[in-house]
Amino acid sequence: MENMFSLNGKIALVTGASYGIGFAIAKAFAKAGATIVFNDIKQELVDKGLASYKEEGIDAHGYVCDVTDEAAVNAFIARVENEIGVIDILVNNAGIIKRIPMCEMTAEQFRQVIDVDLNAPFIVSKAVIPSMIKKGHGKIINICSMMSELGRETVSAYAAAKGGLKMLTRNIASEYGEYNIQCNGIGPGYIATPQTAPLRERQPDGSRHPFDSFIISKTPAARWGEADDLGGPAVFLASDASNFVNGHILYVDGGILAYIGKQPQ
Ligand code: NAP
Ligand code: GCO
């Protein structure tokens, strides 16, 4: 069983992985034997990420690349293939959110979220698939969201992007499955990272943020997820253990999507 989950000899690219969920997934991949490649928008963040990986004993390869810039992505992938080797595992993790009521959101703000959260996974997947086909195998993991299934106030662009990412995942699975490429999604629940920090900020009187209490009541596990909770599911989807799993969105949410929520006491 252990060999089925090994990533020895594999090269994994995790986008936007200087910290947060991407960093946690890359750590888990490294522990399973993979070589880690990651990118971020700014050199200072790449450097910070490299230092964080080093602290974990991981000799990662970091590059500056804005995943929304197709030319930059194509140059980035070509450079990785030249310097390190063909990418066996791609995790489209980089993402942003803008929490703005829809009727107050500008079209430009909507487009920015769609660009990073949906267009970029298309761009990066398109850049790595040809070499995966030549190599005879590949794993693509798209980081979706509970908002691939549910909406809520202020996250219209994000939910639209993550809903689209669910279907892009299924379409890549459909179009490239015959080349032994498996494309699946991970749908994290509410995870304690910088992206959700505003939803967890303590109130001036020291009490929990109302949204924090709301998520605790909606989660059977009665806690926020930690980024490390995603490592194992990601290793599963990146390994030979999931070679016949394709087009699946694996929700790692502590059970939120299954639960109506704790009734108020
Ligand atoms: P995060 O802490 O905000 O980290 C996002 C990462 O993506 C950062 O490293 C960021 O770099 C990078 N990034 C953003 N735009 C980029 C671009 N154009 N090019 C390259 N890198 C870019 O977010 P997170 O919580 O770790 O979330 C990671 C993924 O999980 C996202 O797709 C998010 O939507 C998804 N997700 C998160 C949760 C959650 O509860 N946290 C739940 C479900 C899904 P910079 O720092 O330079 O901006
Ligand atoms: C929000 C949160 C969520 C989480 C995640 C849930 O504002 O509702 O940011 O969107 O990030 O996507 O799965």
Side-chain angles (χ1 to χ4, degrees):
M1 280 301 277
E2 198 183 309
N3 289 340
M4 286 176 81
F5 294 90
S6 167
L7 301 183
N8 280 330
K10 296 287 179 15
I11 296 170
L13 166 60
V14 186
T15 65
S18 297
Y19 56 86
I21 286 174
F23 180 77
I25 288 176
K27 262 193 322 183
F29 283 1
K31 287 201 172 81
T35 296
I36 300 304
V37 179
F38 75 100
N39 70 296
D40 219 308
I41 304 178
K42 299 185 274 285
Q43 186 61 52
E44 67 194 274
L45 270 172
V46 169
D47 294 343
K48 249 181 80 180
L50 286 169
S52 304
Y53 284 111
K54 210 137 200 74
E55 275 171 33
E56 299 284 339
I58 300 167
D59 196 9
H61 305 268
Y63 296 81
V64 175
C65 180
D66 176 348
V67 291
T68 65
D69 179 340
E70 187 167 24
V73 166
N74 290 337
F76 165 44
I77 299 303
R79 189 174 163 201
V80 170
E81 290 184 354
N82 181 41
E83 292 177 358
I84 301 165
V86 168
I87 291 160
D88 300 289
I89 303 158
L90 166 65
V91 179
N92 284 307
N93 167 76
I96 61 171
I97 191 167
K98 291 183 188 298
R99 299 184 183 93
I100 304 167
M102 192 179 114
C103 292
E104 296 167 28
M105 181 178 253
T106 65
E108 180 50 30
Q109 287 169 324
F110 188 92
R111 269 193 290 269
Q112 284 167 1
V113 176
I114 298 292
D115 218 12
V116 180
D117 295 4
L118 181 55
N119 292 345
F122 160 76
I123 289 169
V124 185
S125 301
K126 194 165 80 113
V128 304
I129 284 172
S131 295
M132 287 181 171
I133 291 174
K134 281 197 201 103
K135 202 166 184 181
H137 67 254
K139 296 281 187 179
I140 298 175
I141 301 169
N142 292 323
I143 307 300
C144 296
S145 160
M146 281 173 39
M147 273 57 208
S148 298
E149 303 293 343
L150 302 171
R152 82 173 185 85
E153 300 78 8
T154 76
V155 296
S156 58
Y158 185 81
K162 294 298 188 179
L165 186 56
K166 174 174 76 170
M167 287 315 301
L168 177 63
T169 300
R170 289 183 175 156
N171 213 78
I172 294 172
S174 307
E175 199 164 353
Y176 295 99
E178 68 178 283
Y179 302 103
N180 190 30
I181 293 171
Q182 291 85 50
C183 182
N184 293 286
I186 286 179
Y190 280 84
I191 312 296
T193 70
Q195 191 242 49
T196 55
L199 305 174
R200 291 176 284 109
E201 263 159 22
R202 286 283 167 176
Q203 302 300 284
D205 66 1
S207 62
R208 279 181 182 275
H209 188 295
F211 197 90
D212 183 354
S213 307
F214 170 66
I215 291 303
I216 300 290
S217 74
K218 294 285 280 180
T219 310
R223 68 173 175 89
W224 284 71
E226 295 298 329
D228 286 340
D229 286 323
L230 297 157
V235 167
F236 165 64
L237 289 177
S239 71
D240 289 342
S242 61
N243 283 350
F244 203 54
V245 178
N246 201 17
H248 183 72
I249 312 298
L250 177 56
Y251 287 98
V252 185
D253 66 356
I256 295 185
L257 284 176
Y259 184 39
I260 194 170
K262 190 174 284 304
Q263 60 182 348
Q265 299 303 325

